[in-house]
């Protein structure tokens, strides 16, 4: 039994699923960036991307459910050839579903993608964009040279299209620490971001979500390389907050990989913790009935301490 499961047991907490409310689809590992903290190990040379056949199977499955939100992530989800097709098909469903694009911003200014922001606005897609700091130095250190300047230009473009201003065009930013520490309080950081981005760049946005870096993928390798993995793990364990359990994203999210395989969350996905049938063969989205998922036990590991530390961390930021 992993240390997280032991902790839950010691506190008589049972971590089980509620009703699925969000389908989070990780369409692949292809990305134009190679950020230090990336838990997906994404990058420009990765070949794992979703095919149209898989997109169609996911949409056909979704059409028979009442799941109201589809959250596209990656890599840079915009880079798969069928990104627009995916969103168009989701929006054609009856009833239509809300779409979230998890965007690294810089992709919106790359050749071949410059009309993408307009497309997203036309589909009323919500944008959740990574922006680990409002200072150039910190962003470029974590995400690469020039990423800050590109992100600022992309945010200005989104504002021009009405993002962050029109209530139907929601624009949220995501902060994650630039090192092995927990994020600061979300509301205070949000005020700082709003003040600084408005003052220096005239940028507005809706909410700031603070996320904790989970010790997996490239971030774990970075910690290991600096001999800080154990120390960071202990920091997360010591900050365990049982009040976060109720709001953990794995309770209402179905996470799907680029081949259609199913997980409890995107972190479990990167660790290969796919759901399995009793014969241990892997479960794919089209194998499951969303009405039968309530009370299903969630698969955990030591990395889960990243979601329950301090104010907690989920796809929608702090939990408590
Ligand atoms: S953190 Fe996001 S933008 Fe950075 S490499 Fe990973 S997927 Fe790409
Ligand atoms: S990593 Fe977080 S979201 Fe995923 S199963 Fe663990 S607690 Fe849940």
């Amino acid at each position: 039994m992993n240390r997280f499961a032991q902790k839950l047991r010691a506190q008589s907490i049972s971590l089980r699923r509620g009703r699925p409310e969000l389908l989070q689809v990780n369409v692949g590992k292809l990305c134009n960036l190679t950020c230090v903290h990336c838990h997906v190990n994404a990058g420009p040379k990765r070949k794992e991307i979703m095919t149209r056949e898989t997109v169609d199977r996911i949409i056909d499955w979704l059409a028979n459910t009442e799941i109201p939100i589809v959250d596209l992530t990656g890599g840079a989800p915009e880079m798969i050839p069928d990104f627009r097709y995916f969103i168009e098909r989701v929006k054609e469903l009856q009833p239509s579903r809300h779409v979230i694009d998890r965007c690294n911003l810089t992709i919106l200014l790359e050749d071949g993608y410059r009309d993408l922001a307009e497309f997203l606005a036309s589909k009323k897609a919500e944008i959740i964009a990574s922006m680990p700091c409002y200072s150039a130095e910190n962003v470029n250190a974590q995400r690469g040279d020039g990423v800050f300047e590109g992100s600022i230009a992309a945010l200005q473009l989104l504002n021009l299209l009405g993002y962050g201003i029109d209530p139907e065009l929601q624009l949220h930013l995501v902060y994650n620490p630039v090192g092995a520490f927990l994020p600061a309080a979300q509301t205070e950081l949000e005020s700082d971001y709003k003040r600084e981005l408005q003052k220096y760049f005239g940028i507005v946005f809706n909410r700031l979500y603070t996320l904790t870096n989970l010790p997996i993928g490239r971030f774990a390798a970075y910690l290991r390389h600096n001999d800080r993995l154990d120390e960071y793990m202990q920091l997360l364990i010591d900050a365990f907050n049982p009040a976060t359990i109720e709001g953990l994203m794995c309770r209402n999210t179905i996470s799907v990989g680029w081949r259609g395989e199913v997980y409890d969350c995107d972190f479990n996905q990167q660790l290969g913790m796919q759901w399995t049938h009793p014969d241990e063969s892997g479960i794919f989205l089209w194998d499951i009935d969303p009405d039968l998922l309530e009370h299903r036990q969630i698969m955990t590991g030591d990395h889960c301490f990243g979601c329950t530390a301090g104010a907690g961390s989920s796809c929608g930021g702090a939990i408590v």
Side-chain angles (χ1 to χ4, degrees), residues 126-143:
E126 175 179 331
I127 295 182
I128 301 185
S130 330
M131 190 71 181
C133 195
Y134 45 77
S135 93
E137 195 184 352
N138 282 343
V139 174
N140 289 342
Q142 185 179 91
R143 305 180 77 87

Side-chain angles (χ1 to χ4, degrees), residues 9 20 25 36 55 93 140 142 162 207 239 247 277 293 302 313:
R9 178 180 276 191
V25 186
V36 176
V55 171
L93 292 175
N140 289 342
Q142 185 179 91
R207 299 289 319 278
H277 293 288
L293 297 182
D302 285 356
S313 181

Side-chain angles (χ1 to χ4, degrees), residues 173-189:
L173 301 187
V174 173
Y175 160 89
N176 62 285
V178 287
F181 52 90
L182 294 179
Q186 186 166 274
T187 40
E188 284 162 35
L189 211 50

